[in-house]
């Protein structure tokens, strides 16, 4: 039974990746890949890191609101974030274009800020929900103790609540990074000229690029995804050893 | 002078009455113990006074100032200058003992030199000077209790609220810490509102015992009067 499941997983998950690695197993493929998409790769990672950081911040506040039910519209915030996550990226992209494609909002629409806004619109549900779970692990008395000690809300969040949820926030950042990095629906719709990301570049190069080049770009994409996951894993295991 | 006053306070949770027309006045320096079984409303009294929940009706006054009335919080918990020791102690695990004590002082804008002085003094009083740099997880249960007490008292609160703080300790440690609380009270002279369901703990700590039943005061009086009450009624309240 376990062997069958293992073989099935190998076939559908590992094999496609191995095929890409095998197809790109020439130095020339990677030289060409870097030559043609180095800027897209770096942009992808930078936008994903910026998007993940802002997603953690926004998710923390919306997650706190949902967890504590501090304001009457908490349920609305929860529903909207989940609804936006469920929508196709292209729909959100068209919505963003309709809203921001105006002469006086070019400082948003003609810059990478529009891509980051798209990430925030679509993926806040992820970091928000992760924050809700992380906050659920902290007894309410922790924040109440800070409150009765004389601390206002910003100080309570900065010194007590956020540090106590740091593992959840780090996890949220990783999840946010991965989702931003792999996003194509929104990015394809809204990216300004000269600001495409690696998934978009792979998609456009597929039409006339060689299979070796495309495979090498895919391996670079996998590496960019694994990079923070590996770093996070090392940090967590080092902390565990301490 | 009354430092705390509850005037006809009523509180409901999801349709259930937690407190009904509750009135109580606490004089400065008094040690009040609120005694009663689970669900009788004693923790609600502390949470209302701390400001974590507003009363549905009635008023709460601290040092003559109305801090909550008729469903409205007029003064937030952070501005009431109260100290509280929680049932689970709520020590912040990522901060050291000193960090736990310093947090409230910083929040209240106490200058560094005075902070150091007050922390040193209170840690001396609870015999925890050498643990200033230690995190709560590395302390014993009794030491954690002392830190929680020190954290509340270092702020010189108008009153100290304690919500069943010794309930999780073994009897020997429980009795020892009762004595330490009384010694601290003699040294510092704070007003104490102490919630428990344990009769012996109540009689050891209180100068006045408030016995609660079904969200209201069933009897309030001296330790002797409380003993007589229990002899008359038996130990079970609900």
């Amino acid at each position: 039974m376990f062997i069958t499941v293992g073989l099935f997983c190998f076939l559908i998950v590992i094999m496609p990746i191995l095929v890409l690695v095998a197809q790109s197993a020439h130095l020339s493929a990677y030289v060409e890949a870097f030559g043609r998409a180095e800027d897209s790769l770096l942009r992808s990672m930078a936008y994903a890191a910026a998007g993940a950081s802002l997603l953690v911040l926004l998710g923390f506040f919306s997650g706190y609101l949902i967890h504590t039910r501090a304001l009457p519209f908490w349920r609305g915030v929860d529903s909207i974030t989940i609804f936006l996550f469920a929508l196709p990226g292209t729909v959100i992209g068209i919505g963003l274009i309709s809203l921001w494609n105006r002469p006086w909002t070019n400082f948003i629409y003609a810059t990478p800020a529009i891509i980051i806004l798209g990430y925030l619109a679509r993926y806040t549900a992820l970091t928000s929900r992760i924050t809700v779970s992380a906050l659920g692990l902290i007894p309410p008395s922790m924040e109440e103790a800070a409150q009765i000690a004389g601390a206002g809300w910003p100080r309570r969040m900065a010194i007590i609540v956020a540090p106590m949820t740091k593992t959840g926030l780090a996890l949220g950042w990783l999840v946010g990074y991965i989702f931003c990095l792999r996003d194509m629906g929104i990015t394809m719709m809204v990216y300004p000229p000269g600001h495409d990301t690696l998934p978009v570049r792979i998609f456009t190069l597929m039409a006339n690029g060689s299979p070796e080049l495309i495979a090498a770009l895919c391996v670079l994409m996998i590496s960019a995804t694994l990079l923070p996951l590996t770093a996070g894993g090392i940090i967590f295991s080092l902390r565990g050893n301490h | 002078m009354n430092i705390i006053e509850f005037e006809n306070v009523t509180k409901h949770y999801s349709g259930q009455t937690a407190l009904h027309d509750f009135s109580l006045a606490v004089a400065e320096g008094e040690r009040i113990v609120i005694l009663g079984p689970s669900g009788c409303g004693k923790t609600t009294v502390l949470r209302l006074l701390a400001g974590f929940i507003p009363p549905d009706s009635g008023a709460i006054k601290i040092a003559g100032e109305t801090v909550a009335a008729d469903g409205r919080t007029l003064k937030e918990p952070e501005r009431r200058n109260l100290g509280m020791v929680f049932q689970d102690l709520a020590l912040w695990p990522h901060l050291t003992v000193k960090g736990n004590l310093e947090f409230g002082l910083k929040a209240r804008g106490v200058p560094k030199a005075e902070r150091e002085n007050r922390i040193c003094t209170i840690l001396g009083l609870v015999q925890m000077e050498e643990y200033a740099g230690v995190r709560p997880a590395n302390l014993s249960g009794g030491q954690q209790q002392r830190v929680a007490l020190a954290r509340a008292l270092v702020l010189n609160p108008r009153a100290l609220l304690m919500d069943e703080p010794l309930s999780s300790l073994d009897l020997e440690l429980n009795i020892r810490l009762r004595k330490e609380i009384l010694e601290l009270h003699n040294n510092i002279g704070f007003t104490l509102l102490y919630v428990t369901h344990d009769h012996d703990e109540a009689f050891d700590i209180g100068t006045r015992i408030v016995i609660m039943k079904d969200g209201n005061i069933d009897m309030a009086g001296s330790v002797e009067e409380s003993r007589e009450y229990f002899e008359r009624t038996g130990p079970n309240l609900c």
Side-chain angles (χ1 to χ4, degrees):
Chain A
M1 172 69 179
F2 287 115
I3 293 170
T4 312
V5 172
L7 277 173
F8 183 70
C9 290
F10 183 78
L11 192 67
I12 63 165
V13 179
I14 308 293
M15 275 297 279
I17 294 172
L18 289 181
V19 167
L20 288 174
V21 173
Q23 253 185 346
S24 63
H26 305 282
L27 186 61
S28 58
Y30 285 96
V31 171
E32 191 187 355
F34 268 110
R36 296 184 70 170
E38 183 192 6
D39 52 345
S40 300
L41 172 66
L42 294 176
R43 269 197 300 273
S44 275
M45 292 173 72
Y47 297 167
S53 303
L54 290 170
L55 277 170
V56 166
L57 194 66
L58 189 61
F60 178 78
F61 289 120
S62 60
Y64 180 86
L65 176 65
I66 293 162
H67 175 72
T68 58
R69 304 178 178 190
L71 297 169
F73 54 82
W74 69 269
R75 204 185 292 274
V77 171
D78 197 19
S79 306
I80 287 169
T81 56
I82 291 171
F83 175 68
L84 286 170
F85 183 65
L87 280 181
T90 44
V91 174
I92 294 175
I94 290 166
L96 286 170
I97 293 166
S98 306
L99 179 65
W100 295 101
N101 186 14
R102 296 164 203 284
W104 60 88
T105 53
N106 259 350
F107 66 100
I108 297 283
Y109 187 72
T111 65
I114 190 73
I115 300 174
I116 304 293
L117 277 181
Y119 293 162
L120 294 181
R122 187 158 189 217
Y123 300 123
T124 297
L126 294 170
T127 47
S128 176
R129 280 279 130 201
I130 289 171
T131 303
V132 170
S133 302
L135 288 171
L137 299 174
I138 304 176
S141 57
M142 291 289 175
E143 194 193 338
E144 288 171 351
Q147 195 174 14
I148 204 160
W153 192 82
R155 184 181 284 267
R156 296 202 299 270
M157 292 305 107
I159 301 177
I160 304 298
V161 179
M164 289 184 72
T165 53
K166 67 182 174 194
T167 306
L169 297 180
L171 181 67
W173 191 92
L174 284 175
V175 171
Y177 174 87
I178 290 166
F179 272 79
C180 293
L181 190 74
R182 66 190 270 280
D183 178 83
M184 200 158 85
I186 294 172
T187 316
M188 181 84 97
M189 300 297 293
V190 301
Y191 77 90
H195 290 282
D196 64 343
T197 58
L198 191 56
V200 176
R201 182 66 64 95
I202 291 171
F203 184 75
T204 51
L205 283 175
M206 268 184 74
N208 51 13
S210 67
E212 292 78 17
L213 168 67
I214 303 302
L217 288 170
C218 291
V219 172
L220 289 179
M221 184 74 205
I222 293 166
S223 307
T225 308
L226 288 177
L227 192 67
L229 285 179
T230 311
I234 291 168
I235 290 167
F236 280 124
S237 61
L238 283 177
R239 280 184 55 209
N241 289 339
H242 280 290
Chain B
M1 179 200 169
N2 287 332
I3 195 84
I4 291 162
E5 289 164 273
F6 285 83
E7 293 175 353
N8 310 105
V9 172
T10 295
K11 180 70 187 173
H12 297 92
Y13 291 117
S14 316
Q16 298 276 345
T17 304
L19 274 188
H20 178 67
D21 204 24
F22 177 88
S23 295
L24 176 72
V26 181
E28 196 161 4
E30 216 179 349
R31 296 197 308 269
I32 296 267
V33 175
I34 302 173
L35 178 64
S38 297
C40 71
K42 55 191 191 300
T43 295
T44 302
V45 172
L46 292 195
R47 293 184 65 75
L48 282 162
L49 181 59
F52 300 139
I53 48 173
D56 293 336
S57 63
I60 300 167
K61 293 180 180 174
I62 298 175
E65 182 188 6
T66 304
V67 293
D70 300 330
R72 288 175 303 134
T73 297
L74 304 174
K75 199 165 194 178
E76 302 301 324
E78 54 266 39
R79 297 193 301 122
R80 293 190 181 189
N81 193 18
L82 298 170
M84 188 159 180
V85 177
F86 292 80
Q87 191 169 11
D88 63 358
L89 304 183
L91 294 174
W92 302 305
H94 58 296
L95 301 180
T96 60
V97 167
K98 188 184 174 192
N100 268 273
L101 269 63
E102 199 167 31
F103 174 82
L105 294 170
K106 277 185 178 170
R108 295 178 188 207
V110 176
K112 190 174 191 315
E114 193 187 335
R115 286 203 305 263
E116 297 287 337
N117 190 26
R118 279 163 72 168
I119 290 169
C120 191
T121 306
I122 199 74
L123 284 179
L125 281 170
V126 296
Q127 299 154 36
M128 291 291 291
E129 301 103 312
E130 66 264 43
Y131 296 97
V134 177
R135 291 199 177 185
N138 298 322
L139 299 173
S140 69
Q143 289 170 331
Q144 289 182 5
Q145 291 285 345
R146 291 192 189 100
V147 174
L149 199 54
R151 184 179 68 179
L153 288 174
V154 77
L155 301 169
N156 294 335
R158 282 177 177 146
L160 176 64
L161 322 183
M162 299 182 83
D163 186 7
E164 306 213 34
L166 309 181
S167 59
S168 62
L169 302 178
D170 61 67
L171 186 61
E172 193 183 336
L173 187 56
N174 183 316
I175 291 170
R176 200 166 77 220
L177 282 167
R178 287 181 213 168
K179 286 180 185 159
E180 289 182 18
I181 291 168
L182 291 178
E183 278 171 25
L184 272 174
H185 184 268
N186 289 337
N187 286 333
I188 304 173
F190 49 85
T191 306
L192 177 64
L193 258 88
Y194 190 103
V195 159
T196 184
H197 63 270
D198 184 305
H199 294 194
D200 292 335
E201 206 174 305
F203 299 151
D204 271 0
I205 287 181
T207 48
R208 186 150 61 109
I209 313 292
V210 173
I211 300 167
M212 289 193 67
K213 187 179 178 184
D214 298 335
N216 211 331
I217 296 175
D218 203 36
M219 201 284 296
S222 66
V223 172
E224 277 315 307
E225 285 169 329
S226 307
R227 284 188 202 279
E228 285 167 17
Y229 169 89
F230 284 118
E231 279 167 17
R232 271 199 327 272
T233 62
N236 292 326
L237 292 164
C238 286

